[in-house]
């Protein structure tokens, strides 16, 4: 069920009720975790039983591997533990590859035959990109701290903990990607009185506002980007819709993440923040510290550091950055456009790193930058990021280049546009810009610093939710 | 001492939660009040920022109309350009772009059954658009809770913004097609579309429904006039156009039902299926002269 559906609201209400009431009646250790596990499986099965079966199969596989790792640990066979962990990680990667990318490579190697058609026809388990990453994180974290994990709890406790982590419905569909070491310590009995309801309210309100009022409405005004030809289209329309889509994808994805975090908080779990006003970034490097933070963090810890990070010289650092971004790109989907998107981001990161290395010898010396210069840098970064988002929305790189060409050369058609569409796209960009603007103003300490301002924002968002809902649609990141 | 301190702590937390809820509620009431005033004084456009908005707006305004509508035109976007409402406050254009006559007919039926007042004359556009069936979403938004203040399109912030922008920058200038001649690419497109008949079973189903509505309104004392909106004359005898015409005449023959027949070549249909402004005005004038004067 979609997070923005009535069914989900009812589901959350029921789960929360059971989660806090049942342990008062059934005084068995871990009953809350079991409620979460069954809720997670139900959540997936509601959409399609196949999704639940896939998730369960993946979770049980990882459980069995951990069991084997435990066996090796008891025999004090460190190498054995690593072999099991490494092999299982490879199997997880293979499962992800099989379901997501096999048709792409089959098409490349074997052409558009029966095999490719069969592979392309396989259903993609919902959230596979996320729960496979969770599985990998779990195996890597346990491998890195076998004693801490295996001595802490008994076999049954470990089993429940792993299942709880793998099936936690709040983040297993579209993140935030949560590392096992961050989640596992939180698996314990939770009490409703400990829940920070204010924070839950804030996250849910912000999440639903962005998704239901901004993203769901904005999708009607970025339709032009689904075209393949842009001849005769006003460059203003193309540019506005490009920025509009940037705001749409932020509102959609950040909205989902805020809802996931709010729901998790309601159940006593703290998930990592996924967005930190990404469009105020002054560089691509900073952008990746503010956008999809959980994925960046995961890739940094399990891929970048594994490849050596920045400890093996400059050239190797650049290579590692590029590799991470290519993986991050292709993770989004089995299409060359995502690889291109990731590659371009990687290239920009490398260029920035080279520039920093050449110009900033003393990194500890922080020069104070003029505010105007900061704004210009933010704007340039926003333009670059927005242009790169076109690879997500548009049908192939030819369409992206076609649209780009029209932005520069199509000025004789400047008035050939749906003015209403442009106007409304600008209207729906306002909340996203306001969100970022308030962040900057608060950081600078010049505006919105009073404690009561947030109540005004709450009121505006509640009003918008009541009056200005868009047409309900799936979250963009559900497809990844 | 410990329980006394922890009780104070619990009370402080409860008080904070209460203050939080109270401040949120008070802020909401104030913001809502300000917004309500804005909706009262803001300009109100006749269309919305998109087809869906315009259609729902039109439907809701019709459903909430207090004056009787004596003459109503129902149909699709082809009929929506025929502004009979310019002739009298008692005339209503209830044609939906992207929709069809069946939705309009159902709306009229629902409203008339509630109020007991039936229109004197209904113009019904007969076209392939009827294969869309009745738009249930529009009906939902014109009944019960769908018409409540919070569900009315006119009270949406994006509509208010659009109306304000339109009043400031467009001066209510309507976007219309020109009458200078047909656009070749469009003509080619529609020639291709209309060269292939639609599913006959579907066409029969919806034409039968149109007949039921026509019979219902005639029984209630309304005059029902069926009409084919002019396309570009070159499309007149294409397979799909002929199919629609013949199916309609099979269900509602000319000797039993009132048809308005016109020579399509008199009208310039700029994008091949929608009349240009001057042609649409002339068509509206013909309807008024023929049936209302």
């Amino acid at each position: 069920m979609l997070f923005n559906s009535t069914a989900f609201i009812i589901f959350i209400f029921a789960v929360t009720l059971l989660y806090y009431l049942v342990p008062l009646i059934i005084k068995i250790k871990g009953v809350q975790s079991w409620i979460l596990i069954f809720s997670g499986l139900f959540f997936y099965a509601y959409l399609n039983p196949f999704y639940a079966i896939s998730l369960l199969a993946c979770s049980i596989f990882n459980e069995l591997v951990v069991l084997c790792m435990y066996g090796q640990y008891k025999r004090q066979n460190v190498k054995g533990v690593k072999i099991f962990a490494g092999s299982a990680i490879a199997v997880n990667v293979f499962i992800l590859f099989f379901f997501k990318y096999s048709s792409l490579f089959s098409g490349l190697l074997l052409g558009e035959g029966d095999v490719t058609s069969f592979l392309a026809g396989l259903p993609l388990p919902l959230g596979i990109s996320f729960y496979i990453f969770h599985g990998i994180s779990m195996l890597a974290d346990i491998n890195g701290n076998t004693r801490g994990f295996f001595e802490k709890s008994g076999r049954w406790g470990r089993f429940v903990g792993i299942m709880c982590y793998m099936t936690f419905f709040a983040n297993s569909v579209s993140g935030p990607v949560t590392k096992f070491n961050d989640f596992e310590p939180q698996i314990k009995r939770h009490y409703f009185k400990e829940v920070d309801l204010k924070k839950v309210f804030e996250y849910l309100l912000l999440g639903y506002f962005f998704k239901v009022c901004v993203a769901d409405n904005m999708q009607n005004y970025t339709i032009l980007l689904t075209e393949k030809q842009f001849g005769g289209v006003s460059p203003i329309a193309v540019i506005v819709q490009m920025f509009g889509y940037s705001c749409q994808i932020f509102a959609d994805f950040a909205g989902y993440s805020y809802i996931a975090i709010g729901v998790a908080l309601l159940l006593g779990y703290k998930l990592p923040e996924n967005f930190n006003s990404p469009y105020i970034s002054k560089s691509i490097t900073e952008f990746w510290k503010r956008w999809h933070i959980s994925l960046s963090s995961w890739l940094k810890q399990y891929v970048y550091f594994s490849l050596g990070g920045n400890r093996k010289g400059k050239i190797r650092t650049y290579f590692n950055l590029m590799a991470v971004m290519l993986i991050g790109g292709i993770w989004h989907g089995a299409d060359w456009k995502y690889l291109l998107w990731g590659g371009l981001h990687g290239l920009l990161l490398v260029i920035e790193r080279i520039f920093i290395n050449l110009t900033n010898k003393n990194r500890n010396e922080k020069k104070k930058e003029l505010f105007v210069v900061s704004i210009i840098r933010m704007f340039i970064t926003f333009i670059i990021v927005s242009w790169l988002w076109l690879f997500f929305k548009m049908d192939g790189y030819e369409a992206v280049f076609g649209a780009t060409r029209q932005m520069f050369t199509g000025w004789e058609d400047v008035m050939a546009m749906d003015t209403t569409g442009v106007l409304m796209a600008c209207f729906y960009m306002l909340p996203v810009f306001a969100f970022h603007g308030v962040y900057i103003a608060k950081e600078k300490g010049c505006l919105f610093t009073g404690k009561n301002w947030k109540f005004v924002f709450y009121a505006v968002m509640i009003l918008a939710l009541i009056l200005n809902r868009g047409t309900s649609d799936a979250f963009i990141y559900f497809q990844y | 001492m410990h329980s006394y301190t922890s009780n104070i702590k619990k009370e402080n937390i409860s008080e904070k939660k209460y203050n939080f809820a109270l401040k949120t509620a008070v802020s909401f009431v104030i913001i809502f009040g300000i917004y309500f005033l804005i909706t009262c004084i803001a300009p109100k456009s006749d269309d919305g920022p998109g087809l869906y908005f315009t259609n729902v707006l039109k439907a809701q305004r019709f459903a909430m109309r207090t004056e009787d509508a004596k003459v109503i035109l129902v149909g699709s976007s082809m009929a929506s350009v025929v502004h009979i409402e310019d002739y009298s406050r008692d005339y209503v254009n209830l044609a939906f772009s992207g929709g069809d006559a069946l939705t309009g007919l159902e709306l009229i039926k629902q409203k008339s059954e509630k109020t007991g007042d039936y229109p004197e004359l209904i113009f019904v556009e007969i076209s392939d658009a009827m294969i869309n069936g009745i738009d249930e979403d529009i009906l939902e938004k014109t009944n019960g809770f769908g018409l409540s203040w919070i569900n009315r399109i006119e009270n949406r912030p994006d509509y208010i913004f659009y109306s304000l922008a339109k009043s400031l920058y467009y001066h209510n200038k309507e976007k219309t097609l020109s009458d200078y001649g047909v656009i070749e690419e469009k003509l080619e497109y529609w020639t291709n579309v209309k060269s292939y008949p639609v599913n006959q079973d579907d066409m029969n189903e919806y034409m039968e429904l149109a007949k039921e509505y026509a019979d219902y309104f005639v029984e209630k004392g309304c005059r029902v006039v069926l009409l084919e909106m002019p396309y570009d004359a070159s499309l007149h005898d294409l397979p799909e156009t002929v199919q629609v015409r013949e199916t309609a005449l099979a269900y509602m023959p000319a000797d039993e039902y009132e048809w308005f027949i016109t020579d399509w070549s008199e009208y310039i249909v700029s994008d091949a299926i929608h009349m240009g402004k001057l042609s649409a005005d002339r068509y509206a004038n013909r309807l008024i002269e023929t049936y209302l004067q």
Side-chain angles (χ1 to χ4, degrees):
Chain A
M1 61 202 87
L2 298 178
F3 272 24
N4 52 331
S5 64
T6 315
F8 182 74
I9 306 290
I10 298 168
F11 170 76
I12 280 300
F13 184 73
V15 168
T16 307
L17 217 60
L18 287 170
Y19 186 74
Y20 289 111
L21 288 180
V22 168
L24 298 174
I25 305 160
I26 303 173
K27 294 192 191 297
I28 299 171
K29 195 179 172 187
V31 69
Q32 274 190 333
S33 298
W34 280 108
I35 291 170
L36 278 187
I37 292 165
F38 283 114
S39 302
L41 291 171
F42 175 81
F43 177 82
Y44 271 79
Y46 183 89
L47 292 161
N48 189 327
F50 170 71
Y51 297 154
I53 293 166
S54 309
L55 175 62
L56 192 60
C58 189
S59 306
I60 289 172
F61 168 75
N62 287 323
E63 287 276 14
L64 291 171
V65 170
V66 171
L67 206 60
C68 297
M69 285 167 71
Y70 177 69
Q72 296 301 307
Y73 169 77
K74 287 309 271 185
R75 290 190 199 107
Q76 294 176 342
N77 184 358
V78 173
K79 201 173 174 186
V81 172
K82 283 191 192 317
I83 288 171
F84 271 109
S87 308
I89 287 172
V91 170
N92 273 280
V93 171
F94 174 76
I95 292 169
L96 182 63
F97 177 86
F98 177 76
F99 278 105
K100 266 188 105 158
Y101 309 107
S102 53
S103 61
L104 179 71
F105 286 99
S106 167
L108 197 66
L109 297 168
L110 306 172
E112 299 297 324
D114 290 336
V115 173
T116 306
S117 304
F118 168 73
L119 291 170
L122 289 174
L124 182 67
L126 184 71
I128 191 169
S129 301
F130 290 89
Y131 63 70
I132 288 287
F133 270 31
H134 284 161
I136 293 169
S137 170
M138 181 201 67
L139 292 162
D141 285 354
I142 292 174
N143 180 57
N145 184 26
T146 46
R147 187 178 175 158
F149 180 71
F150 289 126
E151 299 299 331
K152 202 171 87 169
S153 47
R155 193 176 295 176
W156 193 240
R158 288 196 296 274
F159 174 81
V160 170
I162 290 168
M163 284 298 287
C164 198
Y165 171 67
M166 290 294 295
T167 60
F168 190 50
F169 63 87
N171 69 341
S172 58
V173 177
S174 286
V177 181
T178 312
K179 293 175 204 159
F180 183 72
N181 277 346
D182 294 334
F183 188 90
E184 196 267 336
Q186 301 182 72
I187 301 172
K188 58 181 184 183
R189 172 80 191 269
H190 293 276
Y191 297 91
F192 188 72
K193 62 185 179 193
E194 291 166 353
V195 174
D196 187 345
L197 288 172
K198 281 194 289 186
K199 277 259 173 278
V200 171
F201 170 76
E202 280 172 5
Y203 276 109
L204 290 179
L205 180 61
L206 196 58
Y208 279 109
F209 169 74
F210 271 135
K211 171 55 183 165
V212 173
C213 298
V214 181
D216 282 355
N217 279 303
M218 181 65 97
Q219 64 175 337
N220 298 321
Y221 306 110
T222 54
I223 295 288
L224 178 70
L225 298 179
T226 56
E227 299 290 324
K228 292 187 197 308
Q229 302 291 336
F230 292 89
V233 175
S234 169
I236 295 175
V238 181
I239 292 167
V240 167
Q241 291 211 13
M242 177 181 76
F243 291 140
Y245 183 68
S246 259
C247 293
Q248 181 190 340
I249 198 169
F250 168 75
D252 195 281
F253 195 16
Y256 170 89
S257 293
Y258 289 130
I259 295 171
I261 293 170
V263 165
L265 273 175
L266 185 61
L267 300 170
Y269 287 86
K270 202 168 179 309
L271 296 181
E273 288 288 340
N274 223 4
F275 293 88
N276 184 17
S277 301
Y279 291 148
I280 64 162
S281 302
K282 296 193 281 283
S283 65
I284 298 295
T285 308
E286 189 183 348
F287 175 77
W288 282 105
K289 290 178 185 164
R290 292 175 175 276
W291 178 278
H292 206 170
I293 300 167
S294 63
L295 178 68
S296 310
S297 177
W298 191 98
L299 288 171
K300 190 174 168 183
Q301 179 161 338
Y302 300 110
V303 181
Y304 184 68
F305 288 159
S306 303
L307 291 173
N310 60 1
R311 287 169 292 142
K312 302 211 171 179
K314 286 180 187 169
I315 304 297
R316 183 62 183 264
T317 304
Y318 304 149
F319 171 81
N320 293 342
L321 278 171
M322 199 60 168
V324 165
M325 289 316 298
L326 285 170
I327 291 170
I330 200 71
W331 172 87
H332 283 87
D335 199 312
W336 301 115
K337 65 179 185 177
Y338 297 116
L339 194 68
L340 186 58
W341 172 83
L344 287 169
H345 265 282
L347 185 64
L348 289 167
L349 283 176
V350 166
I351 291 170
E352 279 181 7
R353 188 64 72 98
I354 292 170
F355 185 74
I356 288 168
N357 287 338
L358 287 173
T359 60
N360 190 6
K361 293 208 166 66
N362 183 1
R363 287 191 194 175
N364 291 328
E365 186 194 318
K366 282 189 181 173
K367 288 182 186 167
K368 202 178 157 137
E369 195 175 65
L370 283 173
F371 185 62
V372 157
V373 171
S374 294
I375 294 293
I376 292 169
R377 285 180 65 194
M378 279 180 210
F379 189 54
I380 293 171
T381 307
F382 181 61
I383 292 172
I384 294 169
V385 165
S386 300
W387 182 78
L388 288 169
W389 281 134
L390 292 179
F391 287 92
F392 266 56
K393 176 75 171 174
M394 302 184 89
D395 189 18
Y397 57 84
E398 297 98 341
V400 174
F401 295 144
T404 311
R405 211 174 303 121
Q406 192 65 12
M407 285 184 221
F408 289 100
T409 61
W411 288 91
E412 67 274 9
D413 298 318
V414 68
M415 295 313 293
M417 65 179 169
D418 173 15
T419 321
T420 304
V422 165
L423 201 65
M424 298 313 294
C426 291
F427 176 75
Y428 282 109
M429 283 194 257
L430 289 175
V432 175
F433 290 150
F435 177 78
H436 288 80
V438 166
Y439 180 89
I440 295 173
K442 276 177 148 181
E443 288 270 292
K444 293 278 170 201
C446 53
L447 285 172
F448 309 116
T449 49
K451 272 190 273 187
N452 292 327
W453 269 108
K454 64 180 177 186
F455 297 106
V456 174
F457 298 138
Y458 295 160
V460 170
M461 285 192 280
I462 293 171
L463 192 67
L465 274 169
I466 293 170
L467 294 175
N468 215 88
R469 296 180 302 280
T471 320
S472 185
D473 205 0
F475 289 86
I476 294 172
Y477 259 71
F478 263 32
Q479 62 188 300
Y480 308 127
Chain B
M1 187 66 175
H2 172 73
S3 65
Y4 174 72
T5 325
S6 78
N7 280 342
I8 289 179
K9 219 175 172 179
K10 277 184 197 168
E11 277 171 21
N12 282 341
I13 292 169
S14 298
E15 200 180 318
K16 277 182 184 168
K17 283 182 183 172
Y18 174 74
N19 283 343
F20 181 89
L22 185 66
K23 281 183 179 175
T24 307
V26 168
S27 303
F28 176 74
V29 168
I30 293 170
I31 295 291
F32 180 81
I34 293 169
Y35 184 75
F36 183 81
L37 284 171
I38 292 171
T39 60
C40 294
I41 58 176
K44 299 251 161 68
S45 168
D46 287 335
D47 66 336
L51 267 184
Y52 171 79
F53 281 92
T54 305
N55 287 345
V56 175
L57 184 69
K58 202 182 251 193
Q60 287 183 334
R61 279 187 178 165
F62 174 76
M64 290 177 50
R65 197 183 151 95
T66 48
E67 311 128 325
D68 293 342
K70 292 196 169 65
V71 178
I72 306 176
L73 168 62
V74 294
S76 66
S77 54
M78 294 180 286
S80 69
V81 298
V82 178
H83 295 291
I84 59 168
E85 68 274 21
D86 291 345
Y87 290 83
S88 167
R89 289 168 64 97
D90 297 333
Y91 302 173
V92 173
N93 181 311
L94 198 58
F96 298 111
S97 296
D100 64 288
L102 297 173
T103 307
L105 288 168
E106 178 60 26
L107 276 171
I108 299 170
K109 184 177 177 216
Q110 285 184 4
K111 184 169 166 68
S112 300
E113 282 174 352
K114 269 188 215 148
T115 61
D117 296 316
Y118 286 80
E120 289 172 13
L121 170 59
I122 304 174
F123 292 113
V124 181
E125 173 207 294
I126 299 293
S127 69
D128 59 348
M130 285 160 60
I131 221 154
N132 294 325
I134 297 175
D135 190 328
E136 296 294 340
D137 188 56
I138 286 184
L139 293 185
E140 200 185 297
K141 292 199 163 39
T142 51
N143 275 300
F145 191 61
L147 278 180
S148 61
W149 193 91
I150 62 170
N151 277 324
R152 264 184 265 150
I153 291 284
E154 282 181 345
N155 297 326
R156 282 178 64 111
D158 49 7
Y159 169 80
I160 300 281
F161 172 79
Y162 171 77
S163 298
L164 197 63
K166 201 175 166 192
S167 70
L168 292 173
Y169 293 106
Y170 297 102
H171 307 291
N172 277 319
K173 188 178 163 190
E174 195 182 331
K175 199 162 70 171
T176 56
L177 287 167
S178 72
D179 281 73
Y180 297 120
V182 72
I183 303 163
E184 285 303 322
E185 294 92 16
K186 296 280 187 187
L187 183 61
E188 199 181 312
Y189 172 78
W190 285 110
T191 304
N192 188 42
V193 168
K194 301 235 173 254
S195 297
Y196 301 95
V198 296
N199 184 289
Q200 188 61 53
D201 290 336
D202 290 340
M203 183 55 68
N204 288 345
E205 184 189 335
Y206 291 114
M207 209 56 80
E208 190 172 344
L209 190 56
K211 175 185 155 50
E212 283 172 17
Y213 278 117
D215 292 345
Y216 169 82
F217 284 112
V218 165
E219 200 186 326
K220 295 292 180 187
C222 310
R223 189 177 180 186
V224 175
V225 176
L226 309 170
L227 39 86
E228 258 190 296
M229 283 295 159
Y231 297 153
D232 185 83
S234 66
L235 305 178
H236 189 269
D237 297 317
L238 289 178
E240 196 220 61
T241 324
V242 169
Q243 179 199 25
V244 171
R245 192 178 304 130
E246 287 181 352
T247 311
L249 286 169
Y251 280 90
M252 293 169 284
D255 53 353
E256 291 172 31
Y257 293 82
E258 206 168 344
W259 280 87
F260 177 71
I261 308 291
T262 186
D263 182 358
W264 288 8
S265 61
E266 291 175 18
Y267 304 97
I268 296 172
V269 189
S270 303
D271 69 349
I273 61 167
H274 298 100
M275 285 183 280
K277 173 140 179 44
L278 296 174
S279 296
D281 288 347
R282 238 177 326 113
Y283 190 87
N285 200 43
R286 277 286 301 277
L287 288 179
I288 302 297
E289 278 178 352
T290 308
Y291 294 97
L292 295 158
Q293 285 175 4

